[in-house]
Structure formats: C-alpha cells, structure tokens
Amino acid sequence: MIPRIYIPADSGALALGAEKVARAIEKELRERGVEAKIVRNGSRGAYFLEPMVEVATAEGRVAYGPVKPSDVKSLFDSGFLKGGHHKRWLGAPDKIPFLAKQTRLTFARCGVIEPLSLDSYKSHGGLRGLQNAVAMAPADIVSQVTESGLRGRGGAGFPTGIKWKTVLDTTSERKYIVCNADEGDSATFADRMIMEGDPFVLIEGMAIAGIATGATKGFVYIRSEYPHAVATMNKAVAIARKAGVLGVNVLGSPNAFDMEIRVGAGAYVCGEETSLLNSLEGKRGVVRAKPPLPAIQGLFGKPTVINNVISLASVPIIMDKGAVYYKDFGMGRSRGTIPIQIAGNVKHGGLFETAFGLTLGEIVDEIGGGTASGRPVKAVQVGGPLGAYFPRALFDTPFDYEAFAAKDGLIGHAGITVFDDSADMMKQARFAMEFCAIESCGKCTPCRLGSTRGMEVLDKVAAGIEAEKNLALVTDLCNTMKFGSLCALGGFTPYPVMSSITHFPEDFKPAPARVAAE
Ligand SMILES: Cc1cc2nc3c(=O)[nH]c(=O)nc-3n(C[C@H](O)[C@H](O)[C@H](O)COP(=O)(O)O)c2cc1C
Ligand code: SF4
C-alpha cells in the first residue's frame, strides 16, 4: 500500500506555512522517486504544533510538528514515512497531551478525515444522526435536542431545542434554517475549523434542523475573511446534493432540504442575528427590534431557526448517540462539551474541546501552559471583545454559563485571550469603547454616542483630568449602555470596561501618579 501523508489545508495551518511544507514534501517525493498519497486534512486544533504533518503507518498515525520546509529532507532521511524518529517527532496524535486530554464530540473527525470525502465522513460515524432523524417525527427530534441540554454556542446560550420548537409550532408555507458563521469574536476559530475540517457535520446538522422544524431551505452566512471555509463549504454542499444528502428526498426520505452558502461583507454587528438576517436579505446590516423573534418572523418574514455553526454541528452526535449520552457531559445547566479557543499571549494556543466545568485557571495555566512571553498572566478576556477581563483572583471560576454570569462575565463563543503583566487595562477599556464606536450599527443612542463619549472620558482619566469624577462618569455611562442599548453590542461593551476598572484599579490612576508609583 502506498503511504499516506496528512498535511492540513486549514487556514491556521496555512498561515503557519503548511502550503510550503506540502510543496517541499511533494518535491522530495519526486526527487527520491517515492510514491505517496498526500491528503489535505483539517487541523486537529493544536496550533502551537502546526504545521503538523502525519503519516499513516501499520501501527497507526504518527505526527511531526511544527514542521518547517527546511525539516523535510531530514524527515525523509529519518524514515518518517514509517514513523521514524526525528526532532519533530510527536508520536501518535491522540497521545499528544493537548489532544489526549480533550473530549471530542463535535470535533471528533476534525483533522482526522479527508474533509471533502463523504466516504471518509461516513466511515467515521457521519450521517448516522440524519439517518435516525428521517425516521422520526419532527416533534421527537426537537424533544431529543431539548433533552440533550444543548444551548446556543454563538454567545447567548439559549436552549437550541426551545428555539426549534417555536419554529416547528409556527405555521408557515416557508421556513428557513440560517447558520451563523460570522464568527467575529476575537480569539475564536471553532466555526472556521469545523467548516474547513469537517464540513459535512454542519450540513448534516442543518438538514436535521430542517426536518425537525419543517424548513426546507438553509443558508450559511460566512464572514468574508474566511475564503477557505467558503470554498470548502460550497464544494461540500455540491457533493452532498449529488449524493442525495440534500435535495428533494433527503437520504431517500420524503423530506426536502437544500442549502446555499452566502458571504458577509465584514461587519462585527452582522453576527447579531437580526442584523445578519437583514444582510442576508441584501439590506444594510442594522439590528432589528425584537419582538418579533426570528423564530416567528425571521428571514424574509418567515419563521427561521438561526443557530451558530457549533450548535448545529453538535446536533448529529446527539441524534446518533442520544440526548442522555450528550447530557452526561458538563455541569449544572451547561451540558455537553464546549470547544474552548485559547489565544493571545499563550504558550499552547489552539482549540480544546472539553466538557463544561474546567476552571479558568486549569485552562490558562495547565492546558494553555501560561504566557508565550514567559511573564506572569495578568488578565484573561473571555467571550470575545464584549467579554469581561478576569484577573488571576477569579481563576477558580468553572467554565459554565451561570458561573461566569455570576462573576459579571460571559462565555460567549468560548474564545479566551491571555494577556501578560505588560498589558495596560486602561488601554484595553478604551479599546472596548473604540471597538463599539467603530462597529456600532447606529440604531440606538446609548451605543452610537455612548461609545464615543466613553473613549473621550477615558482619555481624560488617562490624562489625569479630574480622574475620580470622570471614572464615576464612565461607570454611569456603562450603566446607560448596559440597560439602554437595543442589542448586546452596546449592552455588553460595559463588561470589558467595568471589569478592567474593578479588577485592575491601579491601571486607572492618572498618568503622573502611575509614573510616581513605578
Ligand atoms: C454584536 C453581536 C455579534 C454577534 N456575533 C455572532 C457571531 O459571529 N456568531 C454567532 O453565532 N453568534 C453571534 N452573535 C449571537 C447571535 O445574535 C445569536 O444569538 C446566535 O447566532 C444564535 O445562535 P445560537 O443560539 O446557536 O448561539 C452575536 C451577537 C451580537 C449582539
Ligand atoms: S446596541 Fe449598537 S449595534 Fe446594537 S442596535 Fe444599538 S446601535 Fe446598533
């Protein structure tokens, strides 16, 4: 049998040089007259080891990483096609501690299979969930998803089954499934990884959502910054359609479901569900007032399920292994697993899928290995640009929706950004206001004007102008934004601002005092 070499074509791996490594391996194979099949897989998510090249040996796959083009000659000299030892040798991928410690339910196939091979997908458990769903009554599918405890992974954590039930119970001649793949949060890449590494799982999840609610058409709204994900998803949809996974008779059943990929134009607010729907309809991405809920009047005024990529991609395993299997993972009201994306100034950056419940300290210190700079961790922002900054004193907070809310934080899309002790939290607070000012859709005053006023007042604090009075003004402004904004962009910007002021008051001393203290 000819050897198989796996080289990720995932955007993250490409950014780290995977294409150059692939070309160097092809060249070496040619020059040595060796035959091998190169498979372009997704990433397993251990980005600190990318480009991670794997070879299939008689004893299983053996990984090497991070591989540089200059390593390729010596890899061949070391007999890497048979798993030979080399300075980049990592051994069996699933024994690498960062990967071995994970519980992979949603990402079980990512980095393992050939992303656009439906056979590869099926041989690793793919389509079993959909097969079960086509034989069930829609209400039973919805019940199974509800019982699993799955909550939306896009940020708000709303129970997925309850959203689906509203759409199922709303009568209409047309309903839609919309997948939110705008993934605008800082430090997040889970949606992209799954679309590039296991696209059929999203298609399967959307088809199940369609059958469960009576929707026959789906759209995936992908941010324009993800060209590789767009290309892979487009190809996967065409393959699924040809194979009868999509179309008028899904898997030979009487259920019809088809879908299309749409590309956003790059606005953070277009990740907000109603703004996204406007954008999808060809309008300006401005937030709509609720009610009506999208589940009742969504895309083109029709009942619409709008779910995040990870929410939908987690449904196939629930429909395959059952609600109880999924629900058994996690803690409290946070059931199942969550793909935590560890980024920023951190040694072991990457995606770590685990049951809810690890503490923030375990994630940052043990899994992430502390800072890349080697300096002490000062703050961790959890939940994207609208998330709170957590100090070390809150590292015992378990990763759970309610536990984070109790500490004035949020999990969001589970991205965490690590900062070392050189971070200036006043600058971070100002950045939050600036981000809001730039990204605001402009519909409501607290967000549109409040964010700009917030920047100005923080600038005064930094300049030592009536610092105490101006800090009180920022607090007051944050309350107005929190309680008076129409959506979470204006409503949650106070989280990074107020957490910086509360947990790092020393950074808000006027400039002369800070110099004197140093
Ligand atoms: C400003 C803003 C940006 C958002 N960006 C995203 C995003 O990029 N992806 C996402 O899935 N949800 C995003 N959301 C949350 C969505 O509005 C919505 O709650 C989500 O798509 C619902 O899916 P879920 O229930 O599966 O989480 C954003 C919300 C706000 C307020
Ligand atoms: S909070 Fe900001 S983004 Fe949201 S509706 Fe108001 S102006 Fe638009």
Side-chain angles (χ1 to χ4, degrees), residues 255-414:
N255 303 288
F257 187 77
D258 207 345
M259 55 190 275
E260 284 178 40
I261 309 302
R262 291 292 161 88
V263 183
Y268 181 71
V269 78
C270 283
E272 192 283 333
E273 57 188 12
T274 60
S275 200
L276 186 155
L277 294 176
N278 273 337
S279 173
L280 208 49
E281 290 179 11
K283 299 174 186 151
R284 205 178 124 206
V286 177
V287 173
R288 295 179 187 171
K290 286 188 270 191
L293 291 172
I296 293 170
Q297 269 181 51
L299 188 64
F300 302 113
K302 304 292 178 204
T304 302
V305 165
I306 173 155
N307 272 137
N308 171 254
V309 173
I310 303 303
S311 317
L312 289 161
S314 299
V315 167
I317 190 146
I318 294 167
M319 295 310 297
D320 174 18
K321 302 215 166 159
V324 174
Y325 173 84
Y326 192 79
K327 200 181 181 168
D328 264 358
F329 298 93
M331 67 175 279
R333 288 181 52 224
S334 304
R335 309 312 315 175
T337 58
I338 178 94
I340 300 169
Q341 299 129 86
I342 309 169
N345 185 346
V346 69
K347 208 180 272 170
H348 297 155
L351 180 135
F352 192 90
E353 182 179 353
T354 182
F356 284 94
L358 280 185
T359 66
L360 186 57
E362 284 170 318
I363 296 163
V364 174
D365 295 330
E366 290 168 32
I367 315 287
T371 62
S373 62
R375 299 176 67 98
V377 175
K378 176 169 181 174
V380 182
Q381 189 177 28
V382 184
L386 312 176
Y389 288 99
F390 275 48
R392 198 164 257 291
L394 293 181
F395 271 21
D396 58 350
T397 312
F399 216 79
D400 158 86
Y401 292 104
E402 278 66 40
F404 264 70
K407 302 272 171 70
D408 288 327
L410 52 114
I411 283 182
H413 188 44

Side-chain angles (χ1 to χ4, degrees), residues 4 6 37-42 61 109-124 196-200 232:
R4 286 166 85 86
Y6 294 81
K37 178 171 163 49
I38 293 180
V39 177
R40 302 306 299 269
N41 55 336
R61 273 153 78 160
R109 282 173 294 260
C110 205
V112 177
I113 62 164
E114 206 172 333
L116 287 170
S117 161
L118 201 51
D119 287 338
S120 182
Y121 181 64
K122 284 196 261 187
S123 67
H124 286 80
E196 293 178 356
D198 191 12
F200 294 118
T232 306

